[in-house]
Every structure is written in structure tokens, then in C-alpha cells.
Amino acid sequence: MSIEDEIASWMEDAGYGKVESSTSLGSSDWASFRQVCVSDPPTPDTSFFVKTSSRSAKEMFEGEALGLQAMYECSGDGEFALRIPKVFHWGDASSDRGSYLIMEYLKFGGSSGQKSLGKAMAQMHLASPSATAGNSDGKFGFPVDNTIGGTPQPNPWTSGGSTEDWVAFFRDHRIGHQLDLAGDQNMIEQWKKDIAPRLGGLFDGLEVRPSILHGDLWSGNIGSANGKPSVFDPASYWGHHEAEWGMSWCAGFGADFWDGYRSLIPKDPGFEDRKPLYDAYHQLNHYNLFGGFYKSQAARQLDQVKQILDDKGA
């Protein structure tokens, strides 16, 4: 049985009838995409967005599925809720190489406005950790490791939900992890000697609480569906809400976005000092994915972090 036949079989077993059409929507470096319409959908307007990959479901789709489910739970309802696609199923193909993820197909178009997006992101970040969102203990991390692009992203739960726990998580499982993958000994030495031991100095007086993060928020992962802002293709985990903006250098957030976001979550003191730290994670990830000038960009961000800590006397 091919993976397409297995997906069709799942649709029937779930009570959605037979596949009436399956339309290719292209592919990325890691997956292929299709819109699937069935004879008995859960609602008259529902069709399915199906991703397939040659990798295993645990490696490729489990983290995305759980991330979408967590964001779905934390986005809430009302005027300023994000439109997150509902996840129906994911798994490995039983008799064919590969895996698949089945979710709600959203018809993207138009614009919900930057201010609405900002408010919707803030509402999601303000949601308290919960069992239904995959975080019953209010810690940093995520139920599973996932990927950011094609890079493995480790998400072990911290022992608690304090600022100190967050600093250790980001130190070891974000910057430290990406530096190990990059293998640049000069940056690794600078990080271990001059930055990591003092990293808490960027968070003095700040109470960091776990927020669900999209984790890879750039313009290609943002849209508008049914008049509401939508985000998708996550690399989710529970972290400091400011870490969400580490990809803002290619997200195009304007003044209206920040007006909307800051109307619910004001800017904390030291935001600008922490920004190069959060940017460095994504610059390092881009270097590990694509090579090239991202290495020098990351090095500049880490130099800036060191200088800020020097100026603080941390």
C-alpha cells in the first residue's frame, strides 16, 4: 500500500468518506504538500492539508503536530485569536517509506492587519501553561524534541519555571547546541568563557514565565485565513516570549504590529540588550542549514552580547 493509499484508508476509517480529489501544492526541502477533499468531511467547508516526508513521523511531524495543537489551545477564541489549523492525525506509513501529517486546510488570502496579528500573538503568549497545551507543570521545554527547518531542536523540560531555569535552558539547548553543530572553535570558546557564565546578567530583575512560542516566526510562516491572522510551520516550545522575535529580521513587523502586541504585553526593561542573544540562535541555525554569511552575522550578535555584559559589569 502506498502512502497515498494509506492516507485514503485513514480518511475512510475516521468517517470522512472517500478521497474525491488530491491536489499537489508543491514541496520544500523536507516535505511535500497536498490538498485532499473527501466525500463526507467533518464540516461542509473542511478539506485537509496533508504533508508527506521520506523521514519518520517522530523525526519530522510529531513536533510540528504537537506544536500546532499547543498553539491551538493557547490561542483561545474571540476577536484577537490566531487561526491555527486543527491537527487530525500523523504517523508513519506502515508499508511504505515515509510519514505524513493531516491537518485542516486553511484558505489563505487578504490581510487581517498587522495590529490584529500583534494582539493575537500577545494573547497566545499570555496563555498559562496547561495539561491540554502539553505543559501541566509550568516548565520550559516541550514534550518532544522537534526541528527548526531541518535542524534538530532539543527541548528537555527544565526542573522548574524560574528565570534561572530559562537562562540555563537557552544557554545549553539553544545557543550551546547550535554552536556545537556549527563547530566554530573561536565562537565556542568565546561563548563558554566570556558569555555563558554571565548570561544571567541580561535577565537581572526580570521574571520570565513560560509562554508557548511558534519558534520560527518569519514572513513565510504568517498568513491570514477567514479574516484572522494565522501562523503555521512551527518549531514550538515553552520559553520566554521575547525569544519569539529572534527571526524578526526577516518577518517584516511594522509599527502597527508592535502597537498591537505592546497593548497587551508591554516591553520589559533590557529588551534591546537581550535581542542580539535571541537573534544569534536563528543566525546560527541559518548557518547550520545554509552556510555562508550567517556565520559572521551570528558572530557579530555574540560579540554584541559580550559587550553588553561587559558594560553591565556582569
Side-chain angles (χ1 to χ4, degrees), residues 68 70-86 104 106 112-125 212-214 217 221-225 227-232 244-245 257 261:
L68 287 169
M71 292 195 301
Y72 186 94
E73 292 293 336
C74 291
S75 292
D77 300 315
E79 184 181 359
F80 300 116
L82 285 167
R83 185 71 170 88
I84 305 296
K86 181 179 179 179
E104 177 186 10
L106 297 183
S112 57
Q114 287 264 310
K115 192 166 189 176
S116 293
L117 174 62
K119 285 189 173 183
M121 289 299 302
Q123 180 169 291
M124 185 180 80
H125 286 166
I212 190 63
L213 306 182
H214 176 281
L217 195 64
N221 291 340
I222 300 169
S224 180
K228 287 192 173 185
S230 179
V231 297
F232 42 89
E244 191 78 276
W245 316 124
F257 173 87
Y261 189 82

Side-chain angles (χ1 to χ4, degrees), residues 140 161-167 199-209 240-243 265-275 277-278 312:
F140 300 102
S162 69
T163 300
E164 291 75 18
D165 288 309
W166 167 247
V167 172
L199 196 60
L202 296 178
F203 298 84
D204 285 343
L206 186 68
E207 183 180 354
V208 179
R209 56 173 295 277
H240 185 201
H241 66 270
E242 289 180 5
I265 300 181
K267 182 166 67 173
D268 283 322
F271 173 83
E272 287 83 2
D273 291 343
R274 293 181 291 274
K275 185 68 165 60
L277 174 71
Y278 292 141
K312 287 178 174 289

Side-chain angles (χ1 to χ4, degrees), residues 127-277:
S128 297
S130 66
T132 56
N135 188 0
S136 57
D137 296 322
K139 298 178 180 180
F140 300 102
F142 202 62
V144 299
D145 294 342
N146 52 23
T147 57
I148 178 163
T151 307
Q153 182 170 258
N155 298 309
W157 290 115
T158 55
S159 58
S162 69
T163 300
E164 291 75 18
D165 288 309
W166 167 247
V167 172
F169 178 90
F170 201 83
R171 180 193 66 212
D172 297 339
H173 305 300
R174 291 299 178 260
I175 301 294
H177 168 67
Q178 292 282 357
L179 284 172
D180 286 344
L181 294 177
D184 185 282
Q185 291 306 310
N186 289 330
M187 282 198 287
I188 290 172
E189 182 177 354
Q190 179 195 49
W191 174 254
K192 289 183 175 180
K193 178 183 176 183
D194 298 327
I195 301 176
R198 303 185 292 159
L199 196 60
L202 296 178
F203 298 84
D204 285 343
L206 186 68
E207 183 180 354
V208 179
R209 56 173 295 277
S211 295
I212 190 63
L213 306 182
H214 176 281
D216 191 18
L217 195 64
W218 65 290
S219 57
N221 291 340
I222 300 169
S224 180
N226 304 117
K228 287 192 173 185
S230 179
V231 297
F232 42 89
D233 288 343
S236 291
Y237 63 99
W238 292 84
H240 185 201
H241 66 270
E242 289 180 5
E244 191 78 276
W245 316 124
M247 280 283 285
S248 61
W249 42 275
C250 58
F253 298 132
D256 284 348
F257 173 87
W258 290 111
D259 285 347
Y261 189 82
R262 295 298 181 206
S263 70
L264 297 178
I265 300 181
K267 182 166 67 173
D268 283 322
F271 173 83
E272 287 83 2
D273 291 343
R274 293 181 291 274
K275 185 68 165 60
L277 174 71

Side-chain angles (χ1 to χ4, degrees), residues 90-130:
W90 72 93
D92 290 309
S94 60
S95 57
D96 191 11
R97 182 169 176 262
S99 60
Y100 57 93
L101 168 63
I102 302 172
M103 69 183 88
E104 177 186 10
Y105 176 83
L106 297 183
K107 186 176 182 180
F108 292 104
S111 174
S112 57
Q114 287 264 310
K115 192 166 189 176
S116 293
L117 174 62
K119 285 189 173 183
M121 289 299 302
Q123 180 169 291
M124 185 180 80
H125 286 166
L126 287 170
S128 297
S130 66

